[in-house]
């Protein structure tokens, strides 16, 4: 199996390549089918990995040497273990479902070929990111998916704000990327390797606390930016400008989880620094609460889901932070299923209401779209973590419960539990407003099989995938944690009365939230809903403040440099004193150019004189 | 054949250029075809340099040494090592693309135009393989003349201004270099051999003076802050092909000069003044990138971007680390491809719209999807996205720098953010968006000729990005040798 690993990212990349070279000779429909085939083939290979090595995967393939100079070596090499196997299963299979869904959804759009090119490239990049056996190759995947996110957010580029949103996403995440790059430099300078395996061995043998702390913080900044965690989350709500399928794939199921994946992957580094994990947990718990509180006041269907994604990713970070990375990964899997489902469902809702995103102008859709309603409801159940019959109950509530029992976790538990109430509120508020209540007719829309199959599969998963790991003290299968234990260890688990208390608390939080949501939807229809709370509606005004401060300062500064130094300083440095001595040019030229040349020349000479003086000073 | 390969590389384009000139502007079609044939031939003779190159030695290869002016001990002395080889190939390769890209958009004085590029090609290759100081200086100065003419004759509205500025800067710089070379001549016992200079002991004062003289010549060429202001003007006024050669090759001359002259001849001064060089490099990376953000003229924006990218190159040199220096060389090559492509992309737009003002565009992707896709690739290369050549060079430079001084690396790394900011800003305003101006609606997508040129550059950008090994293999031994050389003091005991 080892030597076939390259096929997993290889197929989607091949699809992108074929598309870019031969695409113009085929119809958009043919391109779409070809593009969808590629992640399907990847899925088959991943399935083969499951069949042959699923129990305890430990596969490795070295493809070629990427950069090798001096003592620095970076390979194009792939590695598959438990964590990676989960990630590539999501990326390839959910990726395939979204490709399938896109066939009808994007039909007749402009730029279908471009869309499928970037979608294929994205899946390839995501697979490289998760399969890389070293940090540099991870970084390649990391940047590739960032590029695809940029291009796909800006897919409907004719609207300036879409192009703007794409650029915002890219630049904000690039701040994190740069931090990650610096972390890579530090780790290499300290340990002379970027390969995970040897790196962790070196870290264990010789933990350099200072280097690890700085590297850990930088990695965390990278992860926070990529996974849209507070305060670098500001790009994600605007990224909803892209097609809903893109939101489903990139901004829900895969790319935004890369930050969580990175933290799980580099867990040994975080664990080596005291207090570091708690910071991750706090960041996650706070973001979970913050974004959920923003979610309850949104009226744009996709922005509700965007804040929801930020919040849910917070829970995953919390899972990592409390020493339960395997639960974080569990929730990552569950979230990928239900959030992809919800985004695709929202895409259909938006089509039905002729591109209107405002949930206050929707309602009663359950009659017209029964299939959509039931699948969407399954996703809502999972999002709100309805007890027993939704997957999140087994993943998210487990994280919250575990937070309670770890040292320093009480505060995190409070934040997370409060977040869970808000989560149930926005989830069901969304559902009630769109599918229940008085019917507001949209355009009739017939979903084909290509749409129903993905929604159906994901709906089943949203309900049932949690049954892989029942809570402690319950009868039922407990497969997930033991399977991951060789790699991630067993997380602490509550027991006895505390266990019962925690499970009840989690369930009650959800039920309270649903009850509030029912009223909230009614208020909203009456025009006095949560959306009128400006503080929450504007996400605590954070984005606005950010945009008011940083870009204007940035541009003003750049303008000042340009005007004063580039155009002014270099010309005004000398007022023509040297002009005559230099005997430059003809009168005609002087007249034509306003004597600028001589001033430039003088300026240059002055610059050189200054440099010479600096050097002279050094000599004496 | 092998023995005089370098001479062929230099003189085939020059003689061919003269032939093209003889054809005359009246027979434009013939001149074009002849120029293409000459450039292809010139490219073909440089290929054996690569295939026959021995990567295990740092010694000069394909050497030629003939007495030229015996009374002054001047030789016609040529040779290549791993440092210069790629630049010769880059020059001959890009000249072919330049000839193809100018096929239709140059209609006045076609033969002269093509001839200027071919002659310039020969001279630039001459700079990269000259091992005699006077020969080096002659090529160094002579290559400027075709470039003056290209900007001055085929340039934009303010071409005279730009030409004079270009001339003043580069000429003034070169004069000091000549003085330094003459000093070395007398000091080394009447030799003009650059390889001899590398072993000539020099006191610190002399070293520093020589370093400054070289620095002035090379810094202007690269260009380094604060002697960079000629470049945006020259780029803005130059015709597309001129900008391509200027950015892709001529800027590399200065950097090459540092590697071939400054570092090995005056290593102690290089070490002593490294702080200044690093400071100027960091200013280029940070400050110039900021200035780039507010440019309204596409060419100016890319010109400033070039200066910022060359900042990485000089930064890599002066941390004296082999990873960083190899990274610098890769960055130079990469910039050769990407800046050439960026200027060609702007040229494609300029040919159709006759303006470089970003505001006049917007929504180009609607009507030129293939162009937009290719330009996206180059923009990403410019941003330094992994998988493109831009990443490998910058990464290696910053990695090498980090091991020497983390703070320099952190400051340089901010260039990754600003680079993304200005490049995407350009892309968003020019390429994305709805069509605002009716002229944009009438644009036609790339024709086969333009696709060929840009597609070739795209292929190299990706190749160097994912598989830099063949490029690094050539460079490696020579850089190791250089690093060892500059670690040894030349101050007489």
């Amino acid at each position: 199996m080892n030597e076939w690993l390259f096929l997993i990212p290889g197929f989607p990349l091949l699809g992108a390549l074929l598309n870019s070279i031969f695409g113009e000779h085929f119809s958009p429909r043919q391109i779409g089918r070809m593009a969808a085939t590629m992640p399907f083939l990847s899925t088959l290979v991943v399935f083969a990995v499951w069949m042959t090595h699923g129990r305890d995967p430990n596969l490795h393939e070295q493809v070629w040497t990427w950069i090798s100079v001096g003592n620095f070596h970076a390979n194009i090499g792939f590695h598959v273990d438990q964590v990676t196997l989960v990630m590539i299963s999501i990326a390839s299979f959910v990726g395939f479902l979204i490709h399938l869904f896109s066939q009808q959804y994007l039909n007749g759009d402009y730029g279908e070929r471009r869309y499928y090119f970037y979608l294929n490239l994205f899946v390839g990049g995501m697979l490289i990111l998760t399969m890389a056996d070293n940090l540099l190759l991870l970084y390649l995947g990391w940047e590739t998916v960032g590029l695809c996110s940029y291009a796909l957010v800006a897919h409907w580029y004719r609207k300036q704000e879409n192009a703007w949103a794409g650029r915002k996403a890219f630049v904000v995440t690039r701040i994190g990327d740069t931090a990650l790059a610096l972390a890579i430099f530090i780790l290499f300078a300290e340990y002379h390797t970027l390969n995970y395996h040897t790196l962790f061995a070196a870290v264990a043998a010789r933990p350099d606390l200072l280097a690890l702390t700085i590297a850990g913080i930088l990695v965390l900044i990278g992860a926070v930016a990529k996974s849209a965690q507070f305060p670098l989350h500001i790009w994600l709500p605007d990224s909803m400008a892209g097609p809903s399928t893109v939101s489903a794939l990139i901004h829900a199921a895969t790319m935004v989880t890369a930050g969580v994946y990175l933290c799980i992957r580099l867990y040994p580094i975080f664990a080596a620094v005291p207090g570091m994990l708690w910071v991750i947990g706090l960041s996650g718990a706070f973001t979970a609460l913050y974004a959920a509180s923003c979610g309850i006041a949104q009226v744009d269907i996709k922005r509700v889901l965007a804040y929801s994604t930020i919040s849910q990713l917070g829970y995953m970070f919390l899972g990592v932070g409390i020493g339960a990375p395997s639960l974080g990964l569990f929730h990552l899997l569950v979230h990928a299923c239900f959030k992809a489902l919800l985004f695709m469902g929202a895409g259909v809702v938006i089509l039905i209401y002729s591109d209107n995103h405002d949930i206050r102008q929707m309602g009663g859709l359950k009659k017209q779209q029964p299939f959509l309603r039931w699948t969407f409801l399954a996703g809502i159940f999972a999002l709100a973590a309805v007890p027993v019959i939704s997957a999140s109950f087994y993943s998210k509530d487990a994280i919250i419960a575990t937070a309670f029992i770890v040292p320093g976790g009480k505060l995190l538990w409070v934040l997370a539990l409060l977040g869970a109430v808000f989560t149930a509120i926005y989830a069901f508020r969304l559902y009630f407003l769109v599918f229940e209540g008085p019917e507001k007719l949209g355009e009739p829309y017939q979903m084909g099989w290509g749409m129903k199959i993905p929604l159906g599969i994901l709906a089943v998963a949203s309900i049932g995938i949690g049954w892989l790991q029942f809570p402690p003290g319950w009868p039922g299968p407990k497969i997930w944690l033991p399977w991951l234990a060789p790699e991630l260890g067993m997380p602490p688990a509550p027991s006895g009365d505390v266990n019962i208390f925690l499970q009840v608390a989690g369930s009650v939080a959800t039920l309270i939230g649903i009850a509030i949501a029912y009223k909230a939807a009614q208020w909203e229809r009456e025009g006095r809903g949560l959306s009128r709370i400006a503080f929450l509606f504007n996400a605590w005004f954070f984005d606005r403040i950010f945009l008011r401060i940083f870009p204007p300062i940035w541009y003003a500064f750049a303008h000042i440099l340009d005007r004063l130094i580039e155009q002014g300083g270099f010309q005004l440095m000398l007022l023509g004193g040297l002009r005559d001595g230099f005997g430059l040019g003809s009168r005609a030229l002087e007249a034509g150019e306003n004597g600028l040349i001589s001033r430039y020349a003088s300026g240059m000479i002055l610059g050189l004189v200054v440099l010479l003086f600096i050097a002279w000073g050094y000599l004496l | 054949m092998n023995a005089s390969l370098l001479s062929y590389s230099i003189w085939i384009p020059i003689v061919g250029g003269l032939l093209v000139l003889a054809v005359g502007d009246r027979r434009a079609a013939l001149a074009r075809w002849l120029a293409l044939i000459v450039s292809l031939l010139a490219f073909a003779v440089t290929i054996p340099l690569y295939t026959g190159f021995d990567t295990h030695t740092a010694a000069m290869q394909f050497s030629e040494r003939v007495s030229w002016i015996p009374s002054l001990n001047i030789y016609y002395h040529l040779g290549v090592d791993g440092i210069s080889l790629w630049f010769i190939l880059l020059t001959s390769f890009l000249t072919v693309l330049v000839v193809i890209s100018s096929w239709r958009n140059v209609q006045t004085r076609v033969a002269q135009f093509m001839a200027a590029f071919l002659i310039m090609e020969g001279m630039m290759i001459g700079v990269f393989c000259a091992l005699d100081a006077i020969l080096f200086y002659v090529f160094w100065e002579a290559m400027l003349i075709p470039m003056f003419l290209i900007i001055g004759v085929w340039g934009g509205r303010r071409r005279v201004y730009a030409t004079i500025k270009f001339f003043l800067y580069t000429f003034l710089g070169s004069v000091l270099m000549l003085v330094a070379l003459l000093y070395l001549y007398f000091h080394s016992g009447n030799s003009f051999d650059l390889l001899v200079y590398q072993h000539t002991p020099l006191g610190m004062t002399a070293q520093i003076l020589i370093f400054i003289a070289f620095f002035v010549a090379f810094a202007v060429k690269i260009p380094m802050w604060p002697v960079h202001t000629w470049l945006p003007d020259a780029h803005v006024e130059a015709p597309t092909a001129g900008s391509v050669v200027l950015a892709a090759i001529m800027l590399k001359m200065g950097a090459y000069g540092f590697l071939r002259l400054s570092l090995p001849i005056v290593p102690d001064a290089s070490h002593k003044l490294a702080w200044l060089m690093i400071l100027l490099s960091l200013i280029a990376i940070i400050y110039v990138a900021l200035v780039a953000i507010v440019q309204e003229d596409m060419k100016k924006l890319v010109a400033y971007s070039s200066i910022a990218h060359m900042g990485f190159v000089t930064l890599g040199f002066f941390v004296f680390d082999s990873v960083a220096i190899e990274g610098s060389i890769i960055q130079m090559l990469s910039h050769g491809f990407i800046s050439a492509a960026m200027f060609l992309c702007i040229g494609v737009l300029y040919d159709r719209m006759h303006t470089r003002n970003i505001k006049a565009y917007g929504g180009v992707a609607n009507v030129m999807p293939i162009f937009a896709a290719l330009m996206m690739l180059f923009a990403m290369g410019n941003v330094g996205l992994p998988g493109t050549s831009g990443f490998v060079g910058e990464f290696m430079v910053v990695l090498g720098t980090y091991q020497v001084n983390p703070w320099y690396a952190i400051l340089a790394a901010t260039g990754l953010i600003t680079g993304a900011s200005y490049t995407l800003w350009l892309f968003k305003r020019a390429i994305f968006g709805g069509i605002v101006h009716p002229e944009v609606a009438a644009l036609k997508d790339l024709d086969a000729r333009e696709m060929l040129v840009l597609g070739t550059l795209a292929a190299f950008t990706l190749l160097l990005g994912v598989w830099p090994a063949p490029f690094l293999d050539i460079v490696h031994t020579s850089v190791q040798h250089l690093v060892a050389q500059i670690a040894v003091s030349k101050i007489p005991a």
Side-chain angles (χ1 to χ4, degrees):
Chain A
M1 204 62 225
N2 280 314
E3 62 274 24
W4 299 109
L5 290 182
F6 75 96
L7 287 176
I8 298 173
F11 278 123
L13 292 177
L14 177 69
L17 187 71
L18 291 177
N19 184 349
S20 61
I21 297 174
F22 304 111
E24 61 188 312
H25 305 298
F26 296 92
S27 72
R29 177 164 278 250
Q30 288 167 320
I31 291 173
R33 287 196 179 141
M34 186 277 287
T37 310
M38 292 302 169
F40 180 69
L41 293 174
S42 296
T43 310
L44 289 184
V45 183
V46 173
F47 186 70
V49 175
W50 274 107
M51 286 294 108
T52 53
H53 296 81
R55 199 166 290 275
D56 187 19
N58 187 12
L59 298 170
H60 190 265
E61 181 189 16
Q62 148 106 26
V63 186
W64 77 79
T65 303
W66 182 15
I67 303 175
S68 176
V69 273
N71 60 350
F72 178 78
H73 305 282
N75 290 328
I76 306 276
F78 299 120
H79 182 75
V80 174
D81 53 15
Q82 281 90 335
V83 175
T84 298
L85 192 52
V86 173
M87 295 300 292
I88 60 178
S89 303
I90 297 170
S92 59
F93 185 58
V94 178
F96 163 66
L97 291 180
I98 289 166
H99 274 80
L100 186 62
F101 187 86
S102 301
Q103 307 293 317
Q104 186 185 345
Y105 188 73
L106 259 279
N107 194 11
D109 185 74
Y110 65 92
E112 275 177 87
R113 182 179 162 205
R114 179 165 41 91
Y115 173 85
Y116 285 115
F117 169 80
Y118 281 114
L119 215 57
N120 267 184
L121 184 64
F122 173 82
V123 173
M126 191 69 204
L127 290 165
I128 288 176
L129 191 164
T130 46
M131 292 173 69
D133 70 351
N134 65 78
L135 277 169
L136 198 69
L137 187 60
L138 171 135
Y139 189 73
L140 180 138
W142 188 270
E143 292 282 271
T144 307
V145 295
L147 161 69
C148 297
S149 166
Y150 162 69
L152 287 167
V153 168
H155 176 70
W156 289 319
Y157 57 80
R158 285 177 198 166
K159 273 197 188 159
Q160 276 289 347
E161 56 264 36
N162 295 353
W164 179 83
R167 180 166 148 266
K168 181 176 176 187
F170 194 86
V171 173
V172 173
T173 48
R174 199 112 223 266
I175 296 171
D177 299 352
T178 308
L180 176 60
L182 286 172
I184 292 175
F185 295 139
I186 293 174
L187 290 173
F188 179 76
E190 198 60 36
Y191 295 107
H192 306 293
T193 176
L194 292 178
N195 183 288
Y196 299 132
H197 194 68
T198 43
L199 178 65
F200 297 151
V203 168
R206 192 171 51 83
D208 178 328
L209 207 55
L210 180 67
L212 287 176
T213 308
I214 298 171
I217 291 170
L218 289 168
V219 169
L220 185 60
I221 293 174
V224 158
K226 199 70 159 184
S227 289
Q229 295 292 288
F230 186 89
L232 292 176
H233 64 284
I234 51 170
W235 62 272
L236 188 66
D238 291 313
S239 295
M240 296 297 114
S244 291
T245 42
V246 169
S247 312
L249 178 61
I250 298 182
H251 306 123
T254 51
M255 184 188 83
V256 289
T257 63
V260 181
Y261 167 77
L262 185 67
C263 288
I264 296 174
R265 178 57 71 205
L266 298 185
Y267 190 77
I269 288 174
F270 293 121
V273 182
M276 190 78 204
L277 285 173
W278 191 80
V279 173
I280 297 177
L282 180 67
S283 156
F286 176 75
T287 305
L289 173 62
Y290 160 78
S293 77
C294 304
I296 64 171
Q298 302 304 311
V299 296
D300 179 325
I301 183 168
K302 287 188 71 182
R303 284 181 93 88
V304 176
L305 294 176
Y307 281 108
S308 160
T309 302
I310 297 170
S311 169
Q312 296 292 310
L313 289 162
Y315 284 108
M316 298 173 211
F317 276 97
L318 176 62
V320 177
I322 56 173
S326 43
L327 286 176
L329 188 65
F330 194 22
H331 193 52
L332 193 161
L333 169 68
V334 171
H335 176 257
C337 296
F338 73 74
K339 193 53 73 65
L341 164 68
L342 289 174
F343 266 120
M344 287 194 281
V348 178
V349 170
I350 290 166
L351 282 183
I352 290 170
Y353 285 105
S354 333
D355 216 22
N356 186 350
H357 289 210
D358 191 336
I359 50 176
R360 290 170 302 186
Q361 294 165 23
M362 303 174 182
L365 209 53
K366 67 178 176 185
K367 286 208 189 87
Q368 192 193 335
Q369 296 284 351
F371 183 83
L372 180 63
R373 179 255 188 128
W374 287 115
T375 50
F376 201 86
L377 186 60
I380 291 289
F381 268 45
L383 175 55
V386 172
V388 189
I389 51 163
S390 77
S392 267
F393 173 74
Y394 301 94
S395 57
K396 192 180 84 182
D397 281 15
I399 291 174
I400 300 174
T402 309
F404 187 83
I405 58 163
V406 299
K410 299 282 190 299
L411 169 69
L412 306 182
W413 177 76
V414 172
L415 294 174
L417 196 66
L418 207 53
V421 179
F422 283 130
T423 306
I425 297 176
Y426 70 69
F428 274 90
R429 171 176 170 268
L430 174 66
Y431 170 77
F432 288 137
L433 280 172
V434 176
F435 287 95
E436 303 287 337
E439 189 170 6
K440 289 178 186 156
L441 273 182
E443 290 170 33
Y445 190 85
Q446 191 68 46
M447 285 195 287
W449 287 111
M451 284 182 150
K452 283 186 174 171
I453 291 172
L455 292 182
I457 291 174
L458 291 173
V460 170
S462 302
I463 298 297
I465 207 165
W467 295 329
L468 284 172
Q469 177 70 39
F470 274 73
W474 289 38
K478 296 186 180 62
I479 301 168
W480 181 266
L481 295 180
W483 178 69
L484 276 167
E487 201 188 339
L488 296 176
M490 282 297 273
S495 57
D497 292 345
V498 178
N499 186 25
I500 296 167
F501 161 70
L502 288 172
Q503 283 174 16
V504 170
S507 305
V508 168
T510 299
L511 296 175
I512 291 175
I514 296 174
I516 297 174
Y518 185 73
K519 296 305 280 181
Q522 273 186 352
W523 298 329
E524 205 70 62
R525 287 195 200 100
E526 293 160 12
R528 52 191 183 92
L530 295 168
S531 60
R532 290 166 62 97
I533 306 172
F535 180 68
L536 296 181
F537 180 75
N538 290 302
W540 304 17
F541 296 108
F542 190 80
D543 189 37
R544 264 198 217 180
I545 294 168
F546 192 89
L547 286 182
R548 285 268 167 83
I549 295 175
F550 290 102
I553 290 179
W554 187 254
Y555 279 100
F557 185 55
H559 270 292
I560 289 169
L561 292 182
D562 185 46
R563 290 279 150 71
L564 281 186
I565 302 182
E566 282 304 302
Q567 290 173 26
F570 283 109
Q571 294 176 20
L572 299 172
M573 245 188 238
L574 277 193
L575 296 171
L578 284 166
R579 178 183 355 176
D580 306 326
F582 216 42
L584 256 183
S586 66
R587 215 151 240 299
L589 250 182
E590 296 261 309
E593 306 292 346
N594 298 325
L596 278 184
I597 304 171
S598 47
R599 276 196 237 156
Y600 266 109
S602 323
M604 184 199 73
I605 291 166
L606 184 79
L608 292 181
V609 168
V610 169
L611 287 175
L612 284 175
F613 268 108
I614 295 175
W616 267 121
Y618 225 76
L619 280 179
L620 301 175
Chain B
M1 172 73 190
N2 255 11
S4 43
L5 217 46
L6 289 175
S7 283
Y8 286 125
S9 309
I10 296 171
W11 297 105
I12 285 177
I14 293 179
V15 173
L18 294 174
L19 279 178
V20 171
L21 204 58
V23 167
D25 296 323
R26 295 241 178 116
R27 283 174 286 179
L30 179 61
R32 285 192 190 107
W33 281 106
L34 186 60
L36 180 63
I37 291 165
V38 170
S39 66
L40 283 171
L41 192 64
F43 180 48
V45 295
T46 55
I47 290 174
L49 293 176
Y50 171 66
T51 52
F53 190 83
D54 179 2
T55 56
H56 301 294
T57 171
M60 289 295 163
Q61 304 185 30
F62 304 99
S63 290
E64 294 171 40
R65 195 157 185 269
V66 185
S67 185
W68 181 18
I69 306 174
S71 57
L72 290 171
N73 208 11
I74 298 173
Y75 283 84
Y76 174 79
H77 185 186
L78 305 173
V80 287
D81 64 357
I83 293 169
S84 50
L85 177 69
W86 281 119
F87 298 106
I88 295 172
L89 282 154
L90 181 71
T91 308
S92 61
F93 169 70
L94 278 177
T95 304
V96 177
L97 294 188
V98 157
V99 168
I100 299 174
S101 77
S102 312
W103 205 256
R104 214 166 304 144
N105 52 23
V106 175
Q107 290 295 347
T108 50
R109 309 190 194 196
V110 176
Q112 294 180 29
F113 184 85
M114 295 293 181
F117 276 96
L118 291 173
I119 293 170
M120 189 160 62
E121 175 192 357
M123 288 163 173
M124 290 187 300
I125 292 177
V127 172
F128 286 127
C129 49
L131 293 178
D132 181 278
I134 293 302
L135 189 64
F136 178 84
Y137 187 76
V138 167
F139 279 130
W140 179 274
E141 290 293 349
M143 79 182 174
L144 294 178
I145 298 166
M147 189 47 103
F148 294 142
L149 295 175
I150 288 164
I151 301 177
V153 176
W154 291 273
R157 257 190 322 117
R158 305 207 310 156
R159 55 182 182 262
V160 178
Y161 165 70
T163 315
I164 293 200
K165 201 166 161 185
F166 175 49
F167 176 79
L168 276 178
Y169 269 75
T170 47
F171 180 74
L172 267 175
S174 312
V175 169
L176 286 176
M177 178 172 75
L178 182 62
V179 174
L181 290 175
L182 289 175
Y183 174 86
L184 283 166
Y185 170 72
F186 291 115
H187 195 79
S188 65
N190 298 354
S191 168
F192 275 119
D193 194 324
L194 293 179
L195 301 178
V196 169
Y197 293 169
Q198 295 185 357
H199 305 292
T200 308
L202 287 164
M204 193 48 136
T205 312
Q207 284 205 23
I208 286 193
L209 288 173
I210 292 170
F211 184 88
I212 290 169
F214 284 157
F215 164 71
V216 171
F218 302 148
V220 165
K221 256 308 193 309
I222 285 180
M224 292 174 83
W225 193 89
V227 286
H228 65 284
T229 58
W230 64 271
L231 184 75
D233 285 306
H235 268 309
V236 164
E237 299 308 323
T240 300
S243 285
V244 169
V245 172
L246 191 57
I249 307 168
M250 277 211 174
L251 302 192
K252 311 300 179 299
M253 299 275 171
Y256 173 75
F258 275 121
L259 285 180
R260 179 64 79 227
L261 299 179
S262 300
L263 291 182
I265 294 177
V266 287
D268 303 286
S270 302
H271 279 288
K272 191 149 198 181
L273 290 175
W275 65 272
L276 178 65
M277 307 304 293
I278 290 170
L279 178 71
L280 296 180
S281 308
L282 289 174
I283 291 177
I285 293 171
I286 298 165
Y287 158 93
V288 174
L290 272 169
V291 173
I293 291 180
V294 292
Q295 300 306 317
E296 291 296 330
D297 183 311
M298 292 188 189
K299 268 192 155 178
K300 259 196 169 159
L301 193 150
V302 179
Y304 277 111
S305 149
S306 283
I307 301 169
H309 282 101
M310 291 305 285
F312 279 100
V313 173
T314 45
L315 175 68
F317 289 168
F318 285 91
V319 294
F320 309 109
D321 176 271
S322 67
V323 174
I325 293 179
E326 289 184 37
S328 291
I329 293 174
I330 292 294
Q331 168 80 346
M332 282 154 77
L333 270 178
S334 154
H335 185 256
F337 297 134
I338 293 172
S339 67
M342 289 297 277
F343 280 116
L344 284 167
C345 284
I346 293 171
V348 163
L349 291 176
Y350 186 81
D351 288 343
R352 289 162 171 74
M353 298 267 291
H354 301 286
T355 172
R356 295 176 310 262
N357 193 328
I358 299 173
K359 281 185 185 147
Y361 293 90
V364 170
N366 291 288
V367 282
M368 302 177 70
I370 299 172
F371 170 77
L374 276 170
M375 186 160 169
M376 176 83 136
L377 172 71
F378 298 123
M380 286 304 141
N382 210 35
V383 168
L385 201 82
T388 65
S389 59
F391 173 72
V392 180
E394 282 177 23
F395 178 81
M396 286 169 63
V397 169
V398 182
L399 181 78
T401 307
Y402 188 91
Q403 289 172 293
V404 176
N405 185 329
W407 292 109
Y408 298 158
I410 290 167
L411 288 171
T414 61
L416 301 176
I417 303 172
T418 44
S421 170
Y422 64 70
T423 309
L424 297 187
W425 183 225
L426 167 69
F427 203 76
K428 181 208 151 218
R429 288 191 296 173
I431 310 296
F432 282 158
I435 295 178
V436 188
H437 305 285
E439 299 90 348
V440 173
L443 289 178
K444 291 256 182 312
D445 209 342
L446 299 180
D447 60 28
R449 188 177 47 82
E450 291 164 329
M451 280 236 282
L452 173 72
V453 173
L454 291 177
T456 313
L457 286 169
F460 275 94
T461 304
L462 289 173
L463 176 70
L464 183 51
V466 297
W467 195 41
F471 298 89
L472 284 168
D473 286 346
I474 297 278
V475 173
H476 192 65
T477 312
S478 295
V479 170
Q480 293 295 329
H481 176 69
L482 177 69
V483 169
Q485 211 173 11
I486 52 185
V488 180
S489 172
K490 283 177 71 181
I491 297 175

